[in-house]
């Protein structure tokens, strides 16, 4: 039945309605599964099942208007606009109407990105401006089932999903920006619309009635006020923050040069006076000249004549004496007198990743005449030139500064390769080559192990126990490259245990943050069904002194109490851990008890709204 807008007041008087709640619905729910084709839209479906005998549709130039009576004697008027173009067709009247709204309902289809962007880019800024001026409840609804989704999750804490056209994280962020409440409705049926969405909508209707009638109710009769107030859920307790630890990669390699441990190269003057010790793996990672000099790269593979010329004119390798130890350092003669005068500064520059060109120039000027500075600078640039790179005499000294060599990338090329390797780890049935200099620079435990006080200092083959091949390879990859890419949470936990064993604190922090990030990104449905035991992760974090991760996991279990309390491993928690989780769980017992009491109250025959 259709009537004009002026008839609404007559209808309200006929039914003795004292309060009208205005609901503005914006956006399009797409084409979700609907049990009632007659009421295919969200609010039409709700009114069709909850209206107390009266459901009126009214003509309007912009909005589709529904009027109905719900909650016995509450008149609600719904103004529904599906898209921004319709809204803009009469912008002034449209804005006047939404300024009078008591509740906003914003909806979009999860399988239709355009409907989400229509809401986000057009309606959301307008609603945000209104909400900032006066408190108006906003409900953000994601409607429809995502592609390749399993059965709809009925868990009340399921707030995210992945790999869909509109992700739950996008919807949650939109609700956060506006200051609204986010819900997902998989279909237009009695459960999702009438019970799930309807319960929240009726709560906001009652909240609006309470706000309007607070003053008048106190004046008339205090006994008419609601005896049981709707409980406030609030927000879960904030999770502990895991702090980052900055990388010390460059500092570690520079300290290796300063300490002089594991030196396998010694530079000499032409008079055979020792100048400085160094490490072949570091030098070869930064310079093709050193690769040629130490036989890492054959001459036939270097097509750049300037690299060969630099190697032969600048250095010469002394032949090994007839009687020498297996690990005796290679002796290299520096033929250029000016170059060996600045060798310590040049080596420090190379070990810092060859990025501080201005600092190198400053050091050269302190040792050399101005005319020699340019020449030595040119030699250094030739020394660090890549194969195939053209070097002109007109190049500026700082040409490398535009694209600096990344030391972790260049040293990473020697990861898990036998080139220049001087130690082999036996892990299960696999032999893994490595370089003592890199291990000593990046790991204090390895530095102590190869210092000479332990038998590993003189061993080439070193067995590794209690670690899998993949875990130890991932550990070495981090040592060489300052990064790692775990395949799963369990591998990250294994690597965390390895980092605790070898006292690599930054890797431990990286593993902690990876585990936290992965758990945070898991939707509630996946948390409910996964075979991953978070309680087992908690126990391992505690046993291996990962206090930050242990505390975070305790809060995570408490925040997802409704999920983890149903899992068998929940019984493995200690009494102290259970006490912590019970005292920090969300939703709390107080809220759940208040919610149960409130539901019993509003559905009891004795309930009577103060406004009515």
């Amino acid at each position: 039945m259709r009537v004009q807008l002026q008839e609404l007041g007559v209808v309200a008087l006929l039914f003795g309605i004292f309060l009208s709640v205005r609901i503005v619905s914006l956006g399009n729910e797409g084409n979700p599964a609907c049990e009632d084709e007659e009421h295919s839209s969200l609010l039409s479906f709700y009114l069709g099942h909850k209206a107390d005998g009266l459901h009126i549709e009214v003509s309007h130039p912009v909005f589709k208007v529904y009027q109905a009576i719900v909650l016995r004697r509450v008149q609600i008027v719904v103004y529904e606009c599906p898209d921004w173009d319709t809204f803009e067709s009469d912008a002034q009247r449209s804005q006047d109407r939404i300024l009078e709204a008591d509740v906003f309902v914003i909806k979009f289809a999860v399988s239709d990105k355009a409907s989400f962007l229509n809401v986000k880019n057009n309606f959301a800024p307008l609603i945000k401006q209104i909400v900032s001026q006066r408190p108006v409840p906003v409900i953000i609804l994601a409607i429809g089932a995502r592609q390749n989704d399993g059965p709809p999750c009925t868990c009340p804490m399921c707030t995210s999903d992945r790999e869909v056209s509109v992700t739950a994280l996008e919807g949650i962020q939109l609700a956060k920006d506006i200051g609204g409440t986010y819900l997902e409705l998989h279909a237009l049926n009695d459960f999702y619309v009438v019970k799930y969405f309807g319960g929240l909508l009726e709560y906001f209707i009652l909240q609006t009635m309470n706000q309007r009638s607070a003053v008048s109710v106190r004046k008339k009769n205090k006994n008419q006020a609601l005896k049981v107030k709707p409980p406030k859920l609030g927000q879960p307790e904030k999770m502990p923050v895991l702090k980052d630890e900055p990388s010390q990669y460059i500092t570690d390699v520079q300290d290796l040069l300063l300490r002089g441990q594991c030196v396998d190269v010694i530079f000499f003057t032409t008079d055979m006076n020792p100048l400085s010790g160094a490490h072949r793996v570091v030098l070869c990672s930064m310079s093709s000249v050193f690769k040629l000099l130490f036989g890492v790269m054959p001459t036939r593979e270097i097509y750049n004549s300037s690299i060969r010329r630099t190697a032969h004119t600048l250095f010469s390798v002394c032949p090994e004496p007839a009687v020498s130890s297996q690990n005796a350092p290679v002796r290299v003669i520096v033929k250029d007198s000016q170059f060996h005068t600045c060798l310590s500064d040049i080596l420090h520059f190379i070990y810092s990743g060859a990025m501080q060109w201005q600092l190198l120039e400053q050091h050269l000027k302190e040792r050399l005449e101005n005319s020699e500075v340019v020449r030595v600078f040119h030699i250094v640039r030739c020394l660090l030139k890549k194969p195939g790179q053209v070097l002109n005499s007109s190049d500026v000294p700082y040409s490398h500064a535009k694209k600096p060599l990344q030391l972790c990338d260049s040293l990473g090329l020697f990861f898990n390769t036998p080139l220049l390797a001087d130690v082999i780890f036996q892990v299960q049935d696999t032999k893994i080559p490595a370089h003592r200099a890199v291990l000593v620079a990046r790991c204090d435990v390895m530095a102590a192990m190869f210092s000479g006080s332990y038998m590993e200092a003189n061993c080439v083959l070193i067995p590794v126990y209690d670690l899998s091949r993949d875990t130890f390879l991932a550990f070495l990859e981090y040592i060489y490259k300052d990064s790692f890419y775990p395949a799963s949470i369990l591998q990250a936990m294994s690597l965390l245990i390895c980092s605790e064993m070898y006292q690599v604190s930054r890797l431990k922090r990286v593993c902690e943050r990876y585990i936290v990030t992965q758990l945070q990104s898991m939707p509630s449905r996946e948390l409910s069904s996964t075979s991953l035991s978070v309680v087992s992760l908690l126990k391992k974090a505690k046993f291996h002194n990962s206090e930050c991760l242990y505390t975070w996991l305790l809060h995570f279990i408490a925040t997802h109490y409704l999920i983890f309390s149903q899992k068998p491993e929940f019984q493995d928690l200690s009494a102290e851990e259970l006490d912590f989780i019970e005292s920090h769980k969300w939703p709390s017992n107080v809220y759940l008890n208040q919610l149960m009491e409130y539901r019993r109250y509003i559905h009891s025959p004795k309930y009577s709204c103060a406004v009515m």
Side-chain angles (χ1 to χ4, degrees):
M1 179 175 60
R2 293 181 176 274
V3 298
Q4 299 300 318
L5 285 174
Q6 57 264 31
E7 297 178 6
L8 296 181
V10 177
V11 174
L13 291 174
L14 288 175
F15 283 84
I17 299 171
F18 298 100
L19 179 66
S20 176
V21 177
R22 295 173 293 274
I23 301 173
V24 174
S25 175
L26 304 171
N28 186 4
E29 53 269 89
N31 187 26
C34 181
E35 294 181 351
D36 188 349
E37 295 298 332
E38 183 181 354
H39 303 289
S40 58
S41 70
L42 171 73
L43 285 158
S44 176
F45 187 96
Y46 167 76
L47 295 177
H49 290 72
K50 292 292 289 187
D52 296 334
L54 180 65
H55 182 189
I56 303 174
E57 185 177 332
V58 184
S59 300
H60 189 275
V62 176
F63 296 93
K64 192 173 184 179
V65 183
Y66 303 101
Q67 180 187 359
I69 301 170
V70 298
L71 296 177
R72 299 181 183 177
R73 297 175 67 187
V74 180
Q75 173 193 357
I76 67 170
V77 183
V78 178
Y79 299 91
E80 195 169 58
C81 180
D83 57 69
W84 182 253
D85 291 338
T86 304
F87 186 87
E88 282 282 274
S89 64
D90 193 345
Q92 185 59 50
R93 287 212 290 179
S94 298
Q95 294 195 21
D96 291 343
R97 180 58 60 195
I98 67 171
L99 287 174
E100 300 173 353
D102 297 311
V103 179
F104 286 110
V105 175
I106 311 296
K107 54 191 178 179
F108 61 87
V110 296
S111 60
D112 184 2
K113 196 78 170 184
S115 69
F116 173 75
L117 295 177
N118 177 47
V119 167
K120 179 182 177 182
N121 298 332
N122 299 314
F123 288 121
L126 185 60
I127 301 304
K128 186 176 181 180
Q129 182 179 2
I130 295 173
V131 171
S132 65
Q133 296 174 357
R134 63 184 181 93
V136 182
V138 181
I139 305 175
I140 310 294
L141 297 174
I143 301 174
R146 294 182 172 88
Q147 295 179 356
N148 301 323
D149 232 357
C153 178
T154 58
C155 172
M157 302 183 66
C158 187
T159 58
S160 62
D161 261 304
R162 295 176 292 185
E163 299 179 359
V164 291
S165 297
V166 182
T167 65
L169 290 178
E170 290 177 299
I172 292 171
Q173 185 61 45
L174 177 63
K176 182 178 179 181
D177 292 340
I178 299 177
T181 302
Y182 177 74
L183 292 179
E184 290 194 358
L185 309 182
H186 292 274
L188 298 185
N189 57 33
D190 183 72
F191 172 77
Y192 283 108
V193 177
V194 179
K195 295 182 180 179
Y196 193 32
F197 162 70
L200 181 63
L201 180 63
E202 289 167 14
Y203 165 72
F204 285 135
I205 290 172
L206 291 174
Q207 188 181 59
T208 301
M209 293 164 58
N210 289 337
Q211 292 173 351
R212 288 188 182 179
S213 61
V215 176
S216 59
V217 168
R218 283 196 299 268
K219 290 181 179 179
K220 291 182 178 179
N221 188 351
K222 294 182 179 181
N223 294 329
Q224 291 181 343
L226 285 174
K227 296 179 181 179
V228 179
K229 300 292 184 182
K232 294 183 178 181
L233 178 58
Q235 298 295 324
E237 186 175 340
K238 288 185 177 181
M239 304 292 285
V241 178
L242 273 65
K243 296 182 179 179
D244 287 327
E245 186 173 322
S247 173
Q248 299 292 325
Y249 194 90
I250 298 294
T251 304
D252 290 342
V253 178
Q254 288 178 322
D255 288 345
L256 175 68
L257 178 65
L258 296 176
R259 293 198 305 265
Q261 191 174 352
C262 295
V263 164
D264 56 5
V265 176
I266 299 179
F267 290 99
F268 290 87
T269 66
T270 54
D271 298 332
M272 295 307 294
N273 294 320
L275 291 172
S276 180
H279 307 83
R280 286 185 295 172
V281 65
V282 179
L283 299 175
C284 291
S285 70
M286 296 299 295
S287 170
S288 297
V289 171
F290 286 115
K291 287 182 181 179
L292 178 62
L293 194 66
F294 297 130
V296 174
M297 182 181 293
T299 305
R300 64 178 180 274
E301 294 183 10
I302 298 180
Y303 304 103
N304 195 318
S305 60
S306 66
I307 293 177
R308 296 195 299 268
R309 186 168 55 252
T310 301
H312 293 303
T313 59
L314 191 60
F315 304 108
S316 65
V317 178
C318 295
E320 295 185 6
V323 180
S324 63
S325 63
Q326 184 178 359
N327 296 323
V330 177
R331 296 180 298 169
V332 177
I333 297 174
V334 182
K335 298 178 181 180
D336 190 291
S337 60
Q338 300 300 328
F339 188 88
H340 74 60
T341 301
C342 310
L343 182 62
S344 60
D345 295 319
I346 294 171
L347 287 177
H348 188 83
F349 169 71
I350 292 174
Y351 276 64
S352 66
M355 291 186 292
Q356 302 173 347
W357 286 89
Q358 292 181 341
L359 182 61
L360 176 62
E361 182 186 35
Q362 179 182 341
H363 290 163
L364 293 181
K365 288 181 178 180
E366 294 174 357
R367 295 179 182 271
L368 303 173
E369 298 293 335
N370 291 336
S371 58
E372 292 295 328
V373 170
V374 176
R375 189 180 67 83
V376 173
F377 231 116
H378 181 76
I379 294 174
V380 174
R381 290 171 54 226
C382 291
L383 187 66
L384 300 177
K385 186 171 63 170
K386 299 177 182 178
Q389 182 185 26
V390 177
L391 193 65
N392 299 321
S393 58
S394 59
D395 287 346
V396 295
Y398 310 117
S399 59
H400 286 78
K402 297 178 181 179
K403 295 182 179 180
L405 297 172
Q406 296 296 325
L407 185 58
C408 57
D409 294 336
S410 55
L411 264 179
L413 297 175
F414 286 86
F415 164 65
N416 198 21
T417 63
L419 291 175
L420 301 177
D422 53 6
V423 63
I424 297 175
F425 291 101
Q426 179 78 43
V427 187
Q428 295 176 330
D429 297 330
T430 305
K431 292 182 179 180
I432 304 173
H435 306 79
R436 294 173 189 259
V438 180
L439 301 174
V440 167
R442 299 280 288 141
C443 176
D444 291 340
V445 171
M446 294 281 191
M449 188 170 68
F450 294 125
S451 65
S453 302
Y454 298 90
M455 68 175 185
E456 288 85 356
N458 299 314
C459 292
V460 175
L461 185 64
I462 299 176
V464 176
Y465 305 103
D466 301 326
L467 289 175
S468 69
R469 170 188 173 275
D470 291 340
T471 298
F472 193 74
L473 273 174
F475 172 74
L476 288 183
E477 183 176 11
Y478 173 82
I479 292 295
Y480 278 79
K481 300 182 180 181
D482 205 38
S483 60
F484 84 112
Y485 306 97
S488 65
I489 292 178
L490 291 178
Q491 188 187 41
M493 177 55 74
S494 299
L495 192 53
L496 184 149
I497 295 171
C498 179
S499 64
E500 167 66 16
M501 181 187 306
Y502 287 101
Q503 294 296 298
V504 182
S505 61
R506 183 171 180 269
L507 177 58
K508 187 175 180 180
R509 298 289 174 263
V510 172
C511 293
E512 289 174 344
R513 290 189 64 82
Y514 176 85
I515 294 171
V516 166
T517 302
Q518 292 299 305
L519 288 176
Q520 284 179 325
S521 66
M522 292 175 68
S524 297
R525 182 185 296 109
E526 188 173 346
L527 282 176
S528 302
S529 59
T530 183
S531 59
L532 176 70
S533 174
V534 177
V535 174
S536 176
L537 295 178
L538 177 82
K539 297 294 185 183
K540 290 179 180 178
K542 183 178 182 180
F543 184 79
H544 294 282
N545 302 312
S546 182
E547 291 297 330
C548 295
L549 180 61
Y550 175 74
T551 303
W552 188 92
L553 288 172
L554 273 179
H555 280 84
F556 185 74
I557 294 173
T559 302
H560 298 80
Y561 180 84
L562 296 178
I563 293 176
F564 291 111
S565 61
Q566 305 301 316
K567 291 179 174 286
E569 63 263 23
F570 190 78
Q571 306 302 321
D572 297 334
L573 294 167
S574 66
E576 182 181 356
E577 291 164 347
L578 286 172
D579 289 342
F580 178 90
I581 291 171
E582 288 291 337
S583 61
H584 292 80
K585 73 178 183 180
W586 184 86
S588 65
N589 286 331
V590 174
Y591 170 81
L592 294 176
N593 293 334
Q594 289 177 349
L595 181 62
M596 188 180 300
E597 182 182 354
Y598 176 72
R599 285 176 173 172
R600 283 199 303 263
Y601 173 65
I602 62 174
H603 291 97
S604 65
K606 297 181 180 180
Y607 167 70
S608 178
C609 179
V611 181
M612 304 179 189

